[in-house]
Amino acid sequence: MGKGKKFSSKKRKASIKVLSKKKKYINKEHEGKNKKAIFNRYKDKQKVEEELVKRRQMERRFQNQQTVISESEEETEEDSYGQLVSCFKCNDNSNMVAESDGDTSGVESDDGMNDTAKCSEIEHNENNDHSLDDEESSDEQEGLMEETVKENDVDTLNDPFTKHLQYDLEDELIVALSNVPQTVKETSKRWPVLGNLVISIPQSVALSSKTKPKFSLLEEKVYASAATVPHVINNIDFKQLYLKPQICTNLVSANKNNLVKRDLELTDILTPLQKELFAIVNNYQDLYYPERTFSNADEIRFTYCLHIVNHMLKTRTKILNHNAKIAKRSDLSEDYQDQGLVRPKVLIIVPFKDAAYRVVKTLIDLVVPKEAGQVVNKNRFEEDFTGGEIIMPTKNPKPEDYELLFSGNTDDTFRLGLTLTKKTLKLYTDFYSSDILVASPLGLRMIVGAEGEEHRDYDFLASIEVLIMDQADVFLMQNWDHLLHIMDHFHLQPKKTHGTDFSRVRSWAVNGWAKYYRQTLVFSSVALPEIKSVLNRKCQNYAGKVLVVNPPEVGSIQQVLVQVPQLFHRINATSPLAAVDARFEYFIKEILPKQRDTLMSHTLIYVPSYFDFVRIRNYFKKEDIGFVQICEYSKDAKIARARDMFFHTEAHFLLYSERVHFFRRFRIKGIRHIIFYQPPTYPHFYSEICNLMQESNQNKYGGSDCNMTLTVLYCKYDLQRVAGALGSARAANMAAADKAVHMFVTGDK
């Protein structure tokens, strides 16, 4: 028995020696790899050595605990070492969820590093889609200390970025935002350039004492402050505007084209229009500006690009500062919540590739001007987004607005991801690694897909903080349903984690309140109820919204050259939906019977809505009425045949859709009678169509000049369109009058 005990004791000691040698070898290898991970974090040898000393002391504590060795302790010895190893591992719940979902696209492995090193705290932050990769981190860390010092000189608590995104909303305000209609306070202002502004700010709803949550003194929480009315910017002060120092030096050079156009000195920095727009945009309120023109388009584009870059640089600086603080401490508090459920923060929707090209070029001028940084994939971008221009005819030139709108690449199927760093702008990045997305409605719709489709994705819309829709009126001409479909998929719960570190996600994003923080900027060239309804129904920014409301004083009727009586017929309708049927009934019972007379041949029926176009076409076929049609889906051969038949009196009616006129701008000849089934979307289309009745476009055998008429059907929901054609004063008089039919003649005042 004694020999057996002695033998087992020797065997046990020998196994312990082997195990200790193995532990020393593993510790040495582990220490070398940890040293590499720590060095990547701090980039400083002194800090690396200090961190390694701390870790060696931790190992000695565990080794000193192994004083008594028994058979039972032998079995637990490996567990103790496992606990030691676990001290260097990062229990990343988000990565575990991502692996279970099968989504590993956001995590990249490093050659030569074991699992322990990969799971270290800083490695997790670098692999996270919301944080920075090695190249970005090295670029940003160089100027992080300098930038932090500069920011400390500024009162960041009063920064609109911090005030809007940092804090949760009170329960009273959440209830007010959820109510339909919302409880808002409206304020009217008149600014020198923008004109009349209507500012709507949501107001908190008083809750009963039963529904109010009870907090103790220790649980007192800071909530987001109430929104304020924006004020005009008179003098440009970078500190008061809270502009990042990185872009302040690039402002004048990037904006010089706009300054030259307005005959301003290069020291002015911003034009008067840009000052007023930025005052609203920088206050993080929604904006609807329906007076976009080809002359002020560059000013508008520069303003929202400046806001985007400023927003993204502040976001990245905050994340970097928090990363540096987290690296020095183990616990995470709510103060370090600085991200959303996914990385993309800004979405810019534009109709054509040429518009996207101009947006990206403006971003490049602001972020990385010549010889100040790098633009990745710039050559590929130049090839994809340039060229493809429409060849404009020289014999019968198109209108000026048509040539300006369709200059450049008019492809409407595209999407582009951009990643912004301190000195680099990366193009063609993956959506879930991008900061900014630039896309067309059709390009987004193809990704979002429809319910029931197997391959569809809309998670990238979950954390959009700034949404910009430039040239929104063109979306109506393309396919308005695409935009509405996309708007319905904002801020939904993501189906995958996409490498998200949920400890860094803002609480309001987790609670599903991201829609209350999103800022929406809409720019169009014409005021339309369809666009305004999107702001009212699908935009719920708790900071409120600002609408630019300037009624048109002079309508496009002033540009009508032909001497033709213009009759406006008012239709009674109780709702916009009822107006559709009421308009059709009035047309087939009151207007069409008179127009079917032989003397009323060469009648063009202008139909803005394609659904109305199809309804009239089916009725004509059913009643066997002679007509030809031209719509956006008609082939060139059929269009040529329809125009020829209409000119030579072989067809009594010509059905003409507004969308085909927008995209092709045909000069129809032989028109003697025009019926506007609904007032045109664009006011200048009214005078443009009327002027086609000039004598130079007529068939000499088609009738006399005395037999020419123009008829417009409208209801009270079309008054905005009527005001564009006639002016706001005439439209108001027509709406208040008792009689339903009004006539105007060219030259009337």
Side-chain angles (χ1 to χ4, degrees), residues 57-97:
Q57 292 174 355
M58 189 184 300
E59 291 176 6
R60 290 194 193 100
R61 284 196 215 104
F62 280 96
Q63 291 174 359
N64 292 334
Q65 293 176 1
Q66 311 302 319
T67 55
V68 181
I69 301 177
S70 62
E71 290 184 1
S72 60
E73 288 173 342
E74 239 178 78
E75 296 175 359
T76 60
E77 187 169 1
E78 291 185 16
D79 293 337
S80 299
Y81 182 68
Q83 294 176 6
L84 172 63
V85 174
S86 67
C87 294
F88 300 100
K89 291 188 178 182
C90 176
N91 295 326
D92 185 6
N93 295 331
S94 64
N95 280 349
M96 292 172 63
V97 176

Side-chain angles (χ1 to χ4, degrees), residues 34 86 131 135 317 377 437 601 697 708:
N34 279 337
S86 67
S131 300
E135 181 184 350
T317 302
N377 293 324
L437 306 178
S601 62
N697 295 326
M708 300 175 72

Side-chain angles (χ1 to χ4, degrees), residues 540-558:
Q540 299 170 293
N541 186 358
Y542 82 89
K545 59 176 176 283
V546 179
L547 307 179
V548 179
V549 182
N550 293 316
E553 296 180 1
V554 179
S556 61
I557 193 174
Q558 300 293 335

Side-chain angles (χ1 to χ4, degrees), residues 415-435:
R415 44 197 174 265
L416 180 67
L418 295 85
T419 300
L420 186 66
T421 67
K422 184 176 179 63
K423 297 180 180 180
T424 307
L425 184 65
K426 298 180 180 179
L427 309 178
Y428 293 97
T429 54
D430 179 75
F431 267 21
Y432 293 99
S433 301
S434 302
D435 300 315

Side-chain angles (χ1 to χ4, degrees), residues 710-743:
L710 191 149
T711 305
V712 182
L713 307 183
Y714 75 98
C715 65
K716 62 181 180 180
Y717 303 105
D718 299 323
L719 286 178
Q720 209 161 21
R721 299 185 179 211
V722 174
L726 299 179
S728 57
R730 288 175 174 173
N733 293 334
M734 287 170 54
D738 294 332
K739 60 180 182 179
V741 181
H742 296 79
M743 185 178 72

Side-chain angles (χ1 to χ4, degrees), residues 14 95 98 234 237 273 376-377 391 421 461 475 541 575 629 724 727-728:
N95 280 349
N234 295 319
D237 187 342
L273 175 61
V376 181
N377 293 324
I391 300 175
T421 67
L461 300 174
F475 303 156
N541 186 358
S575 68
Q629 59 176 320
S728 57

Side-chain angles (χ1 to χ4, degrees), residues 292 294 298 301 350-361 381 384-389 403-412 414 438 471:
R292 183 190 186 277
F294 295 106
D298 293 336
R301 186 183 302 109
V350 288
F352 304 120
K353 275 189 173 181
D354 180 68
Y357 177 80
R358 296 172 187 267
V359 169
V360 176
K361 293 291 286 184
F381 171 73
D384 289 349
F385 284 78
T386 57
E389 296 89 352
E403 294 186 358
L404 292 172
L405 178 63
F406 293 100
S407 62
N409 195 324
T410 56
D411 186 2
D412 62 350
F414 62 90
V438 183
Q471 296 178 271

